[in-house]
Amino acid sequence: MRYKPGHKEEARLKIVEGVGRGFRSLGFAGSGVDGLAKAAGVTSGAFYAHFASKSAAFEAVLTAGLDEVIVAIPEFQHKNGKAWTQAFVDYYVGKRHRNDLANGCTMASLTSDVIRSNTKTQAIYESKMAQIAELVGEGLMGGTHEERLARSWAMLSILIGGVNITRAMKSTKQASAVADSVGAAAVRAAGKTKR
């Protein structure tokens, strides 16, 4: 049976999305290949047809997830003008994003796993996060490039750490209070925006 052009790439993308949900839900250590394959709707054999190892799958998921952020930041900037940081923050610490671990942002969900990973994975993370910080900085106003980049890192760090704290809260009321504080701090850290 012949497949149409691009079939293999489409299949891999669907597998990366499913495996990503598994990693974001259970973490690297909590995920086995059989469970990841099941989350992606494929067999373990199909998993290994696309990835040499669980670590290789994690790298693919990490790359794809951070690439989504790289695409999203300019979209937030374009769509929301000067209010783009507030819009991004509202989404990031919003209840829907906080409560959807499986489909949440890779920055928040997988950073703790990257800490425990190999140097190759950490290099991927560092490179992609640097791109994200640059994009955020491009949407900020005032000061030198280095000062805008510092504000960018501050905003991202507040959001990534903050959303993880909200996710760990038992009480919805407390999680919402923390989210409000985190959001306000992230907007202040970013400072003036342009567009």
Side-chain angles (χ1 to χ4, degrees), residues 64-77 131-132 135:
L66 294 177
D67 282 344
E68 287 177 9
V69 181
I70 289 167
V71 169
I73 296 291
E75 289 175 354
F76 270 96
Q77 292 169 341
Q131 290 177 55
I132 292 166
L135 288 168

Side-chain angles (χ1 to χ4, degrees), residues 5-161:
H7 171 78
K8 188 172 183 177
E9 292 78 18
E10 285 178 26
R12 181 180 168 86
L13 179 61
K14 287 181 183 179
I15 292 171
V16 168
E17 288 172 358
V19 169
R21 287 189 296 275
F23 278 131
R24 286 188 298 273
S25 294
L26 302 172
F28 185 86
S31 302
V33 169
D34 291 341
L36 291 169
K38 185 176 179 181
V42 298
T43 64
S44 297
F47 176 94
Y48 283 117
H50 288 275
F51 309 110
S53 65
K54 184 171 112 172
S55 293
F58 183 79
E59 289 171 6
V61 165
L62 180 69
T63 300
L66 294 177
D67 282 344
E68 287 177 9
V69 181
I70 289 167
V71 169
I73 296 291
E75 289 175 354
F76 270 96
Q77 292 169 341
H78 178 74
K79 182 179 177 184
N80 298 286
K82 286 189 173 192
W84 81 266
T85 54
Q86 186 65 59
F88 184 72
V89 164
D90 289 346
Y91 157 76
Y92 210 84
V93 296
K95 188 174 183 180
R96 183 174 176 195
H97 182 243
R98 291 191 327 252
N99 293 341
D100 191 2
L101 190 60
N103 293 299
C105 178
T106 296
M107 292 189 303
S109 301
L110 298 182
T111 294
S112 61
D113 287 312
V114 173
I115 294 166
R116 297 174 187 89
S117 68
N118 59 46
T119 56
K120 180 181 176 193
T121 303
Q122 290 172 346
I124 292 167
Y125 178 85
E126 183 176 327
S127 173
K128 296 290 183 183
M129 287 300 297
Q131 290 177 55
I132 292 166
E134 283 288 342
L135 288 168
V136 170
E138 287 173 11
L140 303 181
M141 197 170 120
T144 65
H145 173 263
E146 290 76 19
E147 290 167 337
R148 289 189 302 277
L149 189 58
R151 289 175 16 226
S152 170
W153 281 117
M155 175 186 153
L156 290 168
S157 298
I158 291 167
L159 290 174
I160 293 166

Side-chain angles (χ1 to χ4, degrees), residues 153-174:
W153 281 117
M155 175 186 153
L156 290 168
S157 298
I158 291 167
L159 290 174
I160 293 166
V163 80
N164 279 320
I165 292 171
T166 66
R167 287 174 172 171
M169 295 289 173
K170 179 183 174 189
S171 159
T172 303
K173 183 178 177 181
Q174 186 64 45

